[in-house]
Amino acid sequence: AVVHQILIVGGGAAGIATASSLLKRNSALDIAIIEPSDTHYYQPGWTMVGGGVFKKGETARPMTAVWPKAVKRIKAAVASFAPDRDQVILADGSPVGYKILIVAPGLKLDWDAVEGLTDVLGRNGVTSNYRYDLAPYTWELVQDMRGKKVIFTQPGMPIKCAGAPQKAMYLSCDHWMQSGQLKDMEVSFCNAGPVLFGCAPYVPPLMEYIGKYGINLDFGHNLIKIDGDAKKAWFKVTKEGAEPEIVEREFDMIHVCPPQSPPDFIKESPLAGAGGWVDVDQETLRHSRFDNIFSLGDVTSTPNAKTVAAARKQAPIVAKNVIASLNGQDPKPLYDGYGSCPLTVEKGKIILAEFGYGGKVMPTFPWDSTKPRRAAWFLKKSVLPTVYWKLMLKGREWLAQ
Ligand code: FAD
């Protein structure tokens, strides 16, 4: 089998950024990325597509357009890992060897875990900003809303961009408030978990918007089944001290955030740790058992917010530690768990949640990050997409610690 000095699994946000960051440090490295898709997506833009701010085309580019020139492309999907032989096995059975492996295939959106969901997505008022082709349907439904009952769902944690389900809800409610419809509507946030947002200091300002829009908070509500024709959804409701029960709800529109898990080929691999995620040291991002394997992005076991913002901080750290490893040095404990979630609480204002391990608030700017701000909206709408395409994917660091 061919052996690459550095082999990367996945050419998404984390994979491309890491390859570019490595090349910035040493342009002579032999790097290959295994990536099956022809399109690269800027997923943080999908919230803005669902809110009618971006067109979906702005969030996608041909893979060839973001590919670092010096990186070899292996257009295939990885099926399994053989870390004892320093090889990965592709879907067609062929092996590819490596000196250092970097694992970044993102996570799995498990649409099939909700009975009936896959069949009804994209019609009968059933939508999701978690899919490129469906985010525009969210905005269509919001604009044409004639019914009253709207549900936004959130599955169990961890999910990528934990704020995205409520971002969709606030932007929709803001539109209905402007159009005068909201006061006659019934909007519910059916959240499998017990809290509105995982980082406590951001909860009070978010609760103000829940109050302003008159949203019902239904905690412990996990979507398990949906019938698009009947416009009904079923939730497994778990309350402390009570037996779980199944509750039926009607809807005119439902925005579904699908259950999420590690990809199957990761879960079943020797790389997986507890919960099936790639088991890495949370500060060095090196695998806990295999010294020549690193991992970053949504697929890792680290308890940070699964976001592009996290991958942006992780990529140069993995690059540094991979180069240290090639030089026979130990990796450094550089990652503090930084992740960020720009909560679009209304059109034109964002609460820019930024936090690291242990829920430590880590604002980039010298401001109170729990306040809704126009400047943060401008950042999300006009600055961060450019930071992504022009800096992060090119290996240039931006406000990195
Ligand atoms: P991805 O970017 O998903 O890339 C994974 C890549 O691996 C893909 O190209 C895929 O084709 C490839 N791959 C998959 N399987 C295989 C295989 N078997 N072999 C080889 N390659 C494979 N983040 C923010 O920072 N801010 C936000 O506001 C924000 N909002 C979001 C809103 C929504 C609706 C969504 C869906 C996400 C949002 N995110 C946000 C999260 C962000 O998009 C992810 O955290 C980020 O894309 C993770 O990067 P990644 O490289 O780990 O995974």
Side-chain angles (χ1 to χ4, degrees), residues 177-239:
M177 190 170 239
Q178 304 299 329
S179 66
Q181 293 162 282
L182 187 63
K183 56 183 185 321
D184 302 315
M185 292 174 64
E186 242 178 69
V187 180
S188 303
F189 189 41
C190 291
N191 181 341
V195 290
L196 184 57
F197 193 68
C199 184
Y202 296 104
V203 173
L206 292 173
M207 280 306 292
E208 281 187 32
Y209 280 94
I210 295 287
K212 175 178 163 188
Y213 297 132
I215 295 164
N216 305 311
L217 284 185
D218 293 322
F219 292 122
H221 278 55
N222 193 20
L223 179 68
I224 52 165
K225 183 178 164 185
I226 193 158
D227 181 336
D229 296 326
K231 298 210 156 184
K232 281 182 182 165
W234 288 266
F235 293 85
K236 185 173 183 185
V237 178
T238 317
K239 292 252 159 71

Side-chain angles (χ1 to χ4, degrees), residues 333-398:
L334 296 170
Y335 183 52
D336 54 17
Y338 175 89
S340 154
C341 192
L343 292 145
T344 52
V345 285
E346 57 181 280
K347 207 169 231 170
K349 277 193 187 170
I350 275 179
I351 296 175
L352 184 62
E354 294 181 280
F355 50 97
Y357 289 141
K360 183 170 176 253
V361 174
M362 301 175 71
T364 299
F365 305 100
W367 65 24
D368 175 359
S369 68
T370 65
K371 289 226 155 42
R373 291 178 192 276
R374 289 192 188 285
W377 176 271
F378 175 75
L379 188 78
K380 163 102 185 154
K381 180 171 175 276
S382 306
V383 180
L384 289 179
T386 309
V387 167
Y388 183 77
W389 300 114
K390 297 249 158 74
L391 301 182
M392 174 172 164
L393 294 190
K394 306 283 185 205
R396 299 191 186 105
E397 289 175 45
W398 183 76

Side-chain angles (χ1 to χ4, degrees), residues 12-14 35-36 43 78 129 161 167 265 297-298 307-309 342 380:
E35 167 60 62
Q43 301 167 39
V78 171
N129 288 350
C161 197
K167 294 185 206 178
F265 79 105
D298 292 346
T307 54
V308 157
K380 163 102 185 154

Side-chain angles (χ1 to χ4, degrees), residues 266-338:
I266 296 290
K267 220 184 295 181
E268 293 152 6
S269 78
L271 272 49
W277 306 97
V278 178
D279 193 5
V280 293
D281 176 273
Q282 64 173 39
E283 289 172 325
T284 64
L285 302 174
R286 184 166 78 169
H287 199 276
S288 339
R289 298 184 297 281
F290 305 108
D291 282 357
N292 62 343
I293 300 182
F294 291 79
S295 181
L296 75 163
D298 292 346
V299 79
T300 72
S301 58
T302 56
N304 56 275
K306 293 188 183 298
T307 54
V308 157
R312 179 164 57 76
K313 288 292 162 81
Q314 294 168 347
I317 292 173
V318 168
K320 278 179 202 153
N321 281 341
V322 163
I323 287 176
S325 280
L326 287 171
N327 294 332
Q329 295 154 355
D330 285 336
K332 292 211 169 71
L334 296 170
Y335 183 52
D336 54 17
Y338 175 89

Side-chain angles (χ1 to χ4, degrees), residues 39-50:
T39 312
H40 182 105
Y41 297 103
Y42 177 59
Q43 301 167 39
W46 296 351
T47 295
M48 302 297 257
V49 174

